[in-house]
Amino acid sequence: MATIRDVARLAGVSVATVSRVLNQNGYVNKETEQKVIRAIEQLRYEPNAVARGLAGKQTGTIALILPDITNPFFPEMARGVEDAAQAQGYTVILCNSDDQGQKEKSYIEMLRKKYIDGIIFASNTLGQEDVEQMRSNNIPLVVLDRAPTRQLCSVIRSQNYEGAKLAVRHLLDVGCRKIAHIYGPQELITAKKRLLGYEETVMHFPWYTPSLMVPGHFRVDGGFDAVKELLKRHPDVDGIFCGNDLMAVGALKALYQLGVRVPEDVALIGFDGIGLTELTQPELSTVAQPIYEMGVLAAKVLMETIETGVMEPRLYELEVTLVARESTKRRAEA
Amino acid sequence: MATIRDVARLAGVSVATVSRVLNQNGYVNKETEQKVIRAIEQLRYEPNAVARGLAGKQTGTIALILPDITNPFFPEMARGVEDAAQAQGYTVILCNSDDQGQKEKSYIEMLRKKYIDGIIFASNTLGQEDVEQMRSNNIPLVVLDRAPTRQLCSVIRSQNYEGAKLAVRHLLDVGCRKIAHIYGPQELITAKKRLLGYEETVMHFPWYTPSLMVPGHFRVDGGFDAVKELLKRHPDVDGIFCGNDLMAVGALKALYQLGVRVPEDVALIGFDGIGLTELTQPELSTVAQPIYEMGVLAAKVLMETIETGVMEPRLYELEVTLVARESTKRRAEA
DNA sequence: TTGAAAGCGCTAACAG
DNA sequence: CTGTTAGCGCTTTCAA
């Protein structure tokens, strides 16, 4: 491993000069630059990132903290983050928090010690105080899918409220006359907005009643149980809007078990647009978020913050799109 | 941010002493140790990992190179790696190689510059020369699911051959009398072994013919297409063993489209044991590898190599288990 | 334009 | 047992 010293020696200049051509800053004579470049190539010199980090520069590493990479929603996002990071020479550290505040804190602690350049937070339990702490530690932060925490950091999310309306209207369009909603944890802004979108769209219908809303915890088994409960309460439901795709998958299973046909008896639609929705039978309609792009954007925003040093909190709200598939394919007959 | 110097000053000792208590090495008087510890706590001192790395110690960072985190097989493994790493204070860098040799090389290059402590390789295109290069660079390596490359590094995989036999025998047990196989890329040792297991189990049956083996590229669409082709060739097939679960999912879709009932008309079994197999309708039988554990083991072996410094190449072959679900649930009637 | 030199924070001989 | 000191490899004033 050649060092900057070796290069300097071979090129017959000082390390400072080599550093200058490396970082493209400060004045350096064209000719000397050439000499240096040749030396670099000759020695196959590669600057040592750790030393750079110590000398006050950045480490070129960002962290992605998410609840659980095993949840089918996250791999795509992680991939977006990684691709964008990689494209700019950054490296991504993966952290699974299981949505446990304590794990998150210990990760943050660890990351700070490692001089991580910034963090993308896609986990849910980040507290106000954590944000402030990171802020005071001056470590850039971008969060996904959370409420803008008093404008302390940039937030990226998509149109959850509008998407929910889109989903419910779609169900109405295909002829549903009694639509239920399986919702996620109300601590999550996403789940809340989707519930709100549902409520506001259906509350004026005569058939509407609060017991059409059942919790499903954003999980497959939650969706499964929710449907069982729901059809007990309302055997005449003919449309279900699930707050996320995972629950929709569970709902589908439950409906199958109950002998309810989808979409003939009950039309079903989810939210998120994860790949899984194309694998079920029937394929699931959904409101797709640009998950990959959200990851890419998060990484880009973070890297910009890191490089410019200006942390201007902004809110990015991405568009969602209705993806109509078999699970809602039926004629409006009303 | 307090530094080791601050601690030394406050405790009235030298930095060397502080370093000693920090790293629990060298002799240190109990009382001095206490003073130091108190100073550390008082200043909330946290050693700077980057400086440590530069000073020759390890960086406490390992990399996981895999083809694509978006492939449902990998999140679980990644989770295993991360959990094990985290438990020992290591941090994991995620790299998606898309199985492109060039991307892998550029990652390795980058990781080396960052003084990564070791690499777990779950990608497929790692060449012999790469392994040797890493070896000469003295960077520990553990590979997953590959042939033991001339014993240059530790290898972790599971019983692919035995698992394949298990799958095929299971199909025979439930009464199948003409069993096909959809296989993965033959460059992959896993795919090859599974194909071999199939062949050796069925080759003596009168119905056996090579055209019962169709490629499916380890992908959902590959499995889908393979089934279409297969049933054209052999309409009387009544059992299909897919080389992985992803292809089984695709196969299931194709069978459904063709109006072939599973398991009544055709029994279907996959390989891997990814979560997806529980979400389809009917649920898929599979030969489950301990995916999470493979990740954990890989991380542990790697960390041990890093810490002891001895790189003794070993081969770990984990057991697989037959998971019989609906997709093969039928009486043997022969 | 270039070089000398002072760190960045920590570890590890080596000497006491 | 403890302190001094020389790096690890790079960046960045400050002079020249």
Side-chain angles (χ1 to χ4, degrees), chain B residues 166-177:
Chain B
L166 221 52
V168 179
R169 285 214 201 93
H170 175 61
L171 289 177
L172 289 168
D173 286 347
V174 299
C176 296
R177 298 188 306 164

Side-chain angles (χ1 to χ4, degrees), chain B residues 3-4 19 23 45 47-48 51-52:
Chain B
T3 77
I4 197 173
S19 177
N23 300 293
Y45 166 73
N48 175 325
R52 263 192 172 160

Side-chain angles (χ1 to χ4, degrees), chain A residues 169-180:
Chain A
R169 285 213 202 97
H170 175 61
L171 289 177
L172 289 169
D173 286 347
V174 299
C176 296
R177 298 188 305 163
K178 184 157 181 184
I179 300 171

Side-chain angles (χ1 to χ4, degrees), chain A residues 4 19 23 45 47-48 52:
Chain A
I4 198 173
S19 176
N23 300 293
Y45 167 73
N48 175 327
R52 264 191 170 161

